């Protein structure tokens, strides 16, 4: 309920076009509907000006199809994350226009391909095993209207590979860096560029990586000042924030 | 060493203006000097186009004075963070133009007050005890050329206070949110606005707050997609990244 | 052994109706019987005035059937929690009156539907994935004789949804709030109402949620003073305590 | 802003007693004022019908005096927690009616001694060292209008002491149990009574107590179903919730 | 190599019955043989005067059969712990006299049933789910020559059940107490008796039990002074040490 | 209240020597008195047949003097642990017979020097820094009536020192082993002897010793089966249990 | 790009054999090629003078075959670690010369068997269950050109077994020690020898071993000064560093 | 007791120069003496061929002086680590030849300056605050007979500084790298060189650095294969192992 609607409401009350009980009901009325198991918030799509997102993990394929179907009535673009093969099969069968990317587990309805981003987003990862997370970030950023460049497999132990990509990195307006194990790549990238860097720790590793904790702590303690961090394996969140930064 | 300098160097070699041994020496020469205990990197200032920063904690007052003095020869603005009273006294006595803010422990040399930011940065905190961290963010953002608005003491347990600031929050281009204890404020703010939110967990709390760990974990798991996180009590980092986002 | 029985025993000794050895045996006699693998405590049912509860996880279907069957001889209502499909099939086949709720994994024998609660209990959850835990709380509260209202999927990132339910929340006498990820919802709810709030962290989330630890720590550090916390995913415990509060 | 005020506002608009701009200003106006460093929320006192509380730790004595002074203009009773001797001296000197309890670090302004509680609250602790936390709970519950009974130093290793207090425990309407080290007392108490038990882990102990973590985990895993938990050393929170339960 | 053998060796050297090189070889010769994948230490059996033990987890059924077969050549009694059904089938088929107890996963060769213990060992557990660990302790203590009494399912939340077993507990010479969840039972038992209590945390529980960590910490912080602790789920170790104490 | 007293009570009721109300009062009467801040349990001393113990940390010197004075009225021997110099001065000034050992912070009233132990207790430590904990164990075991032998500074990195003490270790009836850092000494000692070994992790170390956590975990995972563990720095507990084992 | 190549490049520019644009391209050209999903770095093989290594876990069998095939074009020896049976079958079918060791999960292409090591590397493990990790270290060290001696199953609880291998240990030039549970073996070995010891914690154990954390912490706190540590289960890393040390 | 001495002993027994009881006593006699509070192990010095080391923390100045004085009777070089100013004053006053380095807290008696190392050791640190740890490594390596080169303040966020030192790093035979915060420097250095790298996490940082834990985990998960790790702040250990590697 924005200022305009509120002003209109007061005017209707003043002019007698609406009685007080009706006004009070209107005040409590919010623009979402109820599917029974989840309140879909179209309002949120309006507020953010971005696609609707469904987190598929922990939901049945039927639930995902129902939610996505409902969302597609109002939103041009819909992104489903953490979808397994069974979920993807159900969505693809039920809803037209679904693009499934198995590596990252994303399903994308990309009907409005307008570019909103002002510059280019670079998505970087340290090793081959980090690619699912990086791909989730790339696909998110694309469906939110950005040009994305990927630079994969440039870990800090082979620093000349990083250096050889310095120019491409410098041209990005915001960079997403995914890394597991020691999670050192965001610091190294952050020191090379002057734009914001969004670090994504991945759960890649074993033993004392503690499922991404080592990378997470490393990134939070980055000595590069232009680094912020999102949750372990949260490629979606990184792509999302990168998109917001790229459109401000 | 940028592309221009490299090209010039090759041209000098081609033209005989420089012999090969000299060229190889030039290749290794980097623009930093050596104070004995710390290599000051003027290059970094050029690269980022932003003030030099000194992290005072763990350094003697003499070291801070020496480093800051050297930096002030090349940089317009210098920011010293985590300075205690003794350090501040030494810096103020030795170097003209120092502004000490005891609450946040920052010392600022703010000689070039050009505004670089395109919009306004909001700095928000949950409780009075979070103010030192929020102030570090504010001062950092200011010295980096931004207009900053502060909205303090609006925790989630008094959600109407948050709601009453909704408009001011919506007008910001990027928001820094500092909170200790359960660290829920960034999620609540993130759900109200569409701009990037940088969350700063603070070490405010006791018992199971574990010196900011509870707030940190809460922020990393935020259900608002526009939230990224920096280290516990890292107001400087949040102000820094907010400035970068505000100038892209 | 309560005061009445003790007094009676002394009177019998005084009156010669019982000899001393018999009295000492009586003193040690407690009202529970032995099934071989678990001592069933009917006494407990009398003491609390509430249904008997069986925690099915870690027990075989046969053990659950045997324990529940024994309990049903003395108790009107019996609640089985954490039952999987195999256990439910065995219980349903063996014992009349079983109601299985697969989402929460509860089996309920609800023979005495007297309402003991003085007001209404609200059960709230942040997201669709938190529903199994919330349902366990709801079913527990119902079988303990309470009127329960559920308000699902109102996370803090969509705070207007929370606000639009403010009135319903205010009418509850005690509220159970289930949330995973950052676990911020209990603080937000706690700030809106003046009744006791029982927070249930759920293991919903990934990465730095650490299987519910982030939500647990967040709730323990709640800045709302009316919040207490139970174990991760312990919907039963929350429903149980809410029932106790509602009948005092 | 409650329903009554809102209805009145609409009526004024309808009747022309207020113009629309004024109405919109009123809508945004919330009942708190600004001291510069903290927004005092008188509204909260009205909402909860309970005393205002100031958490003194992390605030200067001057700040505490200023906040408490302001609160006393509107509230009958004010409770200051975590106050050290210096703070207490400043408050006592500046504001009439302050009662300082050094053991728990609380300062109480107890001007309205109306009893709101319907029954008695028992505050129990395991050892002498847990008394500061227990006392904070007692003082909080008293200032909120409850009759409080204390039962101190009854740890589980001397279980006959616990048993000898069984009757007194059974007569309470809600029980607060404070324990450090292994934190087993709430389970033992919870098994003896049928009322709600609020467990407060204390930081008493050494080594593997990890500053209260052992007690906290023990209480969260209590095998007694009537136990909920608050933060380590949070005697205030326990007394607060106990008071809410005792008045429903 | 004990003192007797050493003295004999010196005598042989003195008497010329052995030359010096031979003596030095003898010095290095230790009484164990090599199966290729594990050095079996008959010496250890002699040293401790107790059965040989094989930890089956992480070994193939073939390895367990081979090791146990070799041990049975020299030891009267052999205990295999953490054996699954497949391992038990292989051992039972290959080696005569094997007794498999599926609940605890132990296989016992109990050929010498001499009683070594001076008193009785009590094995206690808090809940039905703790029985596998308690049974491992019981079987270990029995095969080491002790009379064992089991008292199962007497958790602290039903403290009268504990009290009703006080006499039996008091008659034991050493007590093993197994408990998961909050792990409070060893403290309660320890306070009732004056003999040594060996506490075994079990991994029974969920959520904040963290796979036995809560119980482990609780037991380490026991306020009863007669409690020592072994590893989570280590029923064998508890039965082993109880046996040693019972024979000193 | 033991069986004898109970039988006597019943006899008095039967014989009319006591009325029923008096009997019920007697039943509730337990043998402890109330000092106001701590219930002193003389009963415990009777039950264990061992000295009374006061944990001084967290108590004021006055409290310690009062408790110890009261205890000395009924107990021959009293042990005060974790006493600092100020506490020791107060106790020594107020109560005759106090022996203060500053290294371990223990104060001992050792009036009854009867030897109860059947064999010798060895107290072993890995390094010089572990001596305070080892001394607390030694003093505890002595005051409980044991002959104690100390073997200090024999860490596993100098394994020949351990081996050279093998004979002395073998002659002990129970061994206390104190070690910080990696906490490996109990395993090595446990492998050399056949008697029970009580392991005490100490907080000696730095960095990843995490205040004794590394040693604690190491000891809990000991590959020697005769090792049990007490809390970090709990020399008292180890000496206490060793004494119990030595007298069974 | 080494100094020689750089000098040659400058000479070509000086002599006109290469123009400036070509030189700048050369400067950026690094010796790795792109397979699409991973940048293979032949350069690294040249730099280290050692085999190429493929970490198979998290890669498909097809990816491993493709990477290994490409590497074999340039490298004599290739080592694949963490390969399961399916991966091994695919590699063996596709590429000649593969040797699969199922226990450690390594696949080795060992075409150049030149010995580079100056002395012998000893690989030691504490128990049978640690052998997979130890074997990974052995196979790594062998393929890197070292003579390796294995000494398995010599845990600290049977210290005479360790002592009986003292001579063999003393003859090694560097020692790899693998141990789970309490991880004490590296300290004991380190105290016996004067050469560098590389400690590998293994995830062997249960309960409070926390998947190798106990062993890891123990090794980091070793009281033997010649011990360094690698990640949990990282037999490869230990064999790799041992090889580097053995060839310096 | 080495092989020579043992052979001599046997010869004496054979030749009748020593009787058997005497021989057995000699067998048990180890070459250390007893100062009362610490067994000094001259044997260790012989075994390692390196200086004696005293860890001063946790010892009184008097203890350090006594131990060091005793050691200096037999060892040329003695190193005291973790000495504060008071300790240094006492040592310098009592013992000739002491060199105190306050930054690292080391005291060095460097009487034999023979160079044993075959190459050069590089000691590298990331920031100025890491210098105390790096200096401890440098001083240790020097007193053990090595030529040491220090390269300080080259963190990964300024990667060109690291690259500009590539040549000096490549010339080292072993490298010690000290870094706090995210601890990424060892990986970056490890990728540039082919020699062994010893990583030392430092406790430099704040918040989520958790006193060096973040750096420790990062280093354990290094993607560079030539990195091993020592304890947090353990500059001594790193310098020690580097010296061993440099002399093999």
């Amino acid at each position: 309920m924005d200022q305009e609607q509120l002003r209109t409401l007061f005017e209707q009350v003043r002019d007698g076009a609406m009685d007080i009980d009706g006004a009070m009901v209107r005040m409590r009325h919010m623009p979402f509907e109820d599917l029974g198991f989840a309140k879909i918030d179209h309002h949120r799509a309006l507020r953010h000006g971005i696609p609707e997102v469904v987190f598929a993990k922990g939901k049945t394929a039927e639930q995902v199809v129902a939610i996505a179907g409902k969302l597609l009535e109002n939103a041009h673009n819909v992104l489903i994350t953490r979808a397994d093969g069974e979920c993807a099969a159900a969505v693809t069968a039920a809803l037209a226009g679904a693009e499934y990317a198995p590596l990252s587990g994303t399903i994308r309805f990309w009907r409005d391909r307008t570019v909103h981003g002002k510059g280019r987003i670079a998505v970087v990862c340290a090793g081959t095993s980090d690619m699912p997370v990086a791909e989730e970030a790339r696909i998110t950023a694309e469906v939110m209207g950005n040009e994305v460049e990927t630079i994969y497999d440039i870990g800090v132990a082979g620093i000349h590979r990083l250096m050889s990509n310095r120019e491409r990195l410098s041209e990005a307006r915001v960079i997403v860096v995914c890394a597991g194990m020691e999670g050192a790549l965001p610091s190294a990238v952050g020191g090379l560029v002057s734009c914001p860097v969004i670090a994504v720790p991945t759960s890649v590793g074993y033993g004392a990586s503690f499922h991404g904790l080592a990378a997470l702590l490393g990134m939070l303690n980055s000595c590069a000042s232009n680094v912020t961090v999102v949750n372990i394996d949260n490629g979606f969140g990184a792509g999302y924030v990168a998109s917001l930064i790229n459109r401000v």
Side-chain angles (χ1 to χ4, degrees), chain A residues 5-243:
Chain A
Q5 290 175 297
L6 182 59
R7 181 171 293 275
T8 302
L9 180 62
F10 275 125
E11 288 168 357
Q12 290 171 326
V13 169
R14 183 194 58 193
D15 303 343
M18 178 169 286
D19 65 8
I20 286 172
D21 284 339
M24 290 191 69
V25 166
R26 276 292 300 283
M27 287 292 289
R28 280 198 294 274
H29 182 78
M30 296 297 295
F32 48 78
E33 13 181 336
D34 197 329
L35 290 188
F37 51 82
K39 294 194 171 49
I40 294 177
D41 184 3
H42 300 307
H43 196 71
R44 193 162 30 156
L46 303 175
R47 198 170 64 232
H48 283 168
I50 55 168
E52 282 297 339
V53 182
V54 183
F55 185 73
K57 198 177 148 197
K59 299 195 178 72
T60 65
E62 291 67 35
Q63 288 179 316
V64 173
V65 168
I67 298 175
K70 195 76 188 173
L71 290 170
L72 285 165
E73 295 173 11
N74 291 276
H76 290 294
N77 294 341
V78 168
L79 178 67
I80 304 170
T81 62
R82 307 285 170 110
D84 56 20
E86 182 195 339
C87 177
V91 170
T92 312
L95 302 169
E99 305 171 5
Y100 180 48
L103 181 56
S104 57
T106 50
I107 306 170
R108 181 164 64 179
F109 296 87
W110 193 7
R111 303 191 290 204
D112 174 359
R113 303 205 171 198
T114 315
V115 169
H116 298 289
K118 297 181 178 167
R120 201 161 54 195
I121 295 174
V123 174
V124 178
C125 77
T128 305
S129 309
D130 302 314
M131 279 177 59
V133 179
E135 284 290 285
E136 192 183 79
R138 175 184 66 79
I139 288 168
T140 300
E142 282 178 1
V143 83
M144 289 176 71
N146 297 282
E147 192 185 348
V148 182
E149 177 170 33
T150 57
I151 309 175
Y152 289 172
D153 199 26
I154 55 163
V156 293
I159 217 160
H160 50 293
R161 289 189 288 183
L162 174 60
M163 296 308 273
S164 75
N165 282 288
R166 185 170 173 177
E167 205 167 341
R168 290 165 73 201
L169 290 168
S170 298
E171 289 164 13
R173 203 149 174 273
V174 53
I175 302 177
V176 171
V177 184
C178 307
M181 301 177 76
E182 81 267 63
L185 189 58
S187 292
V189 169
L192 288 179
V193 300
S194 58
C195 72
V197 171
I198 301 168
V200 193
T202 73
S203 54
V204 168
Y206 63 92
S209 82
F210 296 124
H211 310 292
L213 178 61
L216 171 62
L217 294 181
M219 292 171 182
L220 286 167
N221 287 284
S222 175
C223 50
S225 305
N226 48 349
V227 173
T228 59
V229 186
V230 296
N231 195 3
I232 297 164
D233 290 336
N234 189 9
F236 160 69
Y240 189 102
V241 175
S243 300

